Amino acid sequence: MMRKFILTLLCLGLTFILTVGLAEADDALLVVANQVTPLTEEYVPDGLVSAVSRINDEQENNINDGVYLAVTGTVQLCEPAYNALVEMFNAAEQDGVTLFLRAGYRSYNEQETLYKRAAKSNRLAGVQPAGECDYQTGLAATVVGEAERTGTITEEFGNTKEGQWLADHAAEYGFIIRYPKGKEQETGNAYEPWHIRYVGKTAAKEIASTGITLEAYVAQLNGTQPAALEVPAAAPAVTEAPADDEDVNEDVLDDVDAEEDEAEEEAPEADEPEADAAEDETEPDAVPEADEPAEAEAAPEAAPAAAEPVKVEWDFPVALEDMSESYLLLVNASHPVDKSYVPDNLSNLRSRSNDAEGNNLNNGINIAVTGKVQLCRAAYNALNRMFNIAESQGIILYVRGGYRSYKDQASIYTRSKRSKNAGFVEPAGESDFQTGLAVTVVGEKNRIGNLSAGQFSSSVEGQWLKMNAPKYGFIVRYPQGKDDITGGPYQPWHLRFVGVKVAEYITENNLTLEEFTAARQEAMNKFVTAGGDIYAAITEAQVPAGPAVLKTTGPDGDHEITLFHD
């Protein structure tokens, strides 16, 4: 929506319209969550995507267009904010500044749980009630440097190299410091130099250049004055827990849970209510009653020391941290997806534009069909890189198909039943293309018309893909001679993204995704039965010594034992 201040001048009976004020502003990017304008429990922002954890090659180049994540698990942002964040992180790196994403979107219920736990642990400083939290907009992020990846973040972050870079450059990418210094009565929150908020480039530059708050900016657009908000209490001077709300979510909340668990384990059983027990802790040492046996005063004997836990080794050729559940979804007749399934992080493929010399002007790829073609972001990034390398070696590749929704697949299947030359088509729910990780890749001669496995596999493009696709994380989903396992005939053009290490292992051992999945599940079952913790093992393996290389957790950041979509 375009906002304008309109000034009407009456002169000699003529009306002149003069636009004077703040230029273009998108209401969706200017939503304010605070004490005066809280968000409802039902409010969920549109277009949430999961941040992709960055993967580097041996030269520390970003090979998947990801960002450094300071936490395990899913971090989400609205797509415009995330795209701008990726652009900003890349620019910072060019300036020698390495940034980490530590927190993003938080739902109403998550904030409500966080607030209650923070209140219970007397750590409410910097934590807003549900509905008043900027993170519920999906446009807010905690961005820090290497030193702030864990533990407390203080105002001193604003004086660090990373904090100063953000203050100087965030507006260039559409971000503002959401809670600036000295504006507590307008924002209702203490200064947080790490808390950035996406508002779009136009609004961000206007806010930054005038030194106002988001509240003041929106009030100006509406022709009002910003409301005076309650100034929060100063954050406690602690080092074992973060002082801000987003980091309570990632760190303090875990600390609180751990302390509660330890207290429950260590506390002796008592008949008194919990509140009474808490009061007793503040009283002087109790005096035993006269008839209390002396033995009662004796300290109990020390319990024997607990045995050291046995470390269970992961016994499988591919390391746990090299396998992302998001990339390994198995879809076939035995493991269908339902009508509601839509993969995360779908991106529209950009059709390539060339200049007069044939140079790629927009970092696009050759698309053999009209209309929209989509892939999950990680698969798209890998495909783009593979196409560029192929072209540098004289191989020109084209995309002929990508993601299909349940409805799309149902229509294709119905049409295939009426055609004698439709070839192999799965029913809706059983198609690999519904994962968003599958793509049809062909050469110039196969851009249209029926595909022949024999012809394409012997073509220069088919031979190149066979030798090189695994280097970029792709396998041939339906390999030759495995029809009875995959349920589909040989299709050398049908590639499936599974991640580099998995793709290389599957290809080297002539396996199908079905065979790999079964072997991996068996290894996981043995690991868990022996006392291993899948999540802990992955987390431990993924904690890097520094920012040089971070193993991916996949677009959604989840680590789950099950391999199949329910």
Side-chain angles (χ1 to χ4, degrees), residues 220-435:
Q220 286 183 23
L221 291 176
N222 293 329
T224 62
Q225 293 294 321
L229 303 181
E230 182 180 347
V231 180
V238 295
T239 57
E240 74 276 9
D244 61 294
D245 64 322
E246 67 274 4
D247 299 302
V248 171
N249 187 30
E250 303 297 345
D251 298 294
V252 173
L253 199 53
D254 293 336
D255 293 342
V256 171
D257 290 341
E259 290 167 4
E260 291 174 351
D261 292 342
E262 291 173 6
E264 290 174 2
E265 292 175 3
E266 296 174 4
E269 295 183 1
D271 295 332
E272 292 81 13
E274 184 177 340
D276 295 338
E279 292 174 1
D280 290 343
E281 292 178 4
T282 63
E283 297 176 358
D285 294 338
V287 179
E289 297 180 8
D291 59 351
E292 186 175 354
E295 289 77 9
E297 299 179 10
E301 294 183 6
E308 288 291 329
V310 177
K311 183 177 178 61
V312 181
E313 296 294 335
W314 172 247
D315 186 19
F316 193 69
V318 183
L320 276 168
E321 66 271 20
D322 290 329
M323 297 182 289
S324 170
E325 295 293 340
S326 301
Y327 305 159
L328 297 179
L329 175 62
L330 178 63
V331 177
N332 57 24
S334 300
H335 305 97
V337 291
D338 60 32
K339 293 182 179 180
S340 64
Y341 179 75
V342 178
D344 290 333
N345 295 315
L346 283 173
S347 297
N348 294 329
L349 274 61
R350 185 186 299 114
S351 183
R352 173 170 173 160
S353 296
N354 289 346
D355 61 16
E357 287 75 35
N359 298 312
N360 193 340
L361 291 176
N362 64 341
N363 197 30
I365 61 177
N366 297 316
I367 299 178
V369 294
T370 58
K372 179 172 64 177
V373 180
Q374 292 182 304
L375 284 176
C376 290
R377 186 185 300 274
Y380 179 22
N381 292 336
L383 188 79
N384 203 352
R385 185 164 176 261
M386 182 174 72
F387 272 44
N388 290 336
I389 296 298
E391 183 175 14
S392 71
Q393 298 176 13
I395 304 297
I396 307 301
L397 301 174
Y398 290 82
V399 169
R400 186 163 155 168
Y403 167 70
R404 298 174 190 167
S405 68
Y406 190 98
K407 184 178 180 180
D408 292 338
Q409 187 64 27
S411 297
I412 293 172
Y413 183 73
T414 299
R415 291 198 303 269
S416 73
K417 292 301 181 183
R418 297 196 296 263
S419 173
K420 296 180 180 180
N421 299 315
F424 170 67
V425 180
E426 307 96 324
E430 300 177 15
S431 172
D432 189 50
F433 287 104
Q434 289 180 245
T435 65

Side-chain angles (χ1 to χ4, degrees), residues 88-101:
M88 183 175 72
F89 273 41
N90 291 337
E93 185 173 24
Q94 293 298 315
D95 291 343
V97 176
T98 301
L99 300 176
F100 290 81
L101 177 60

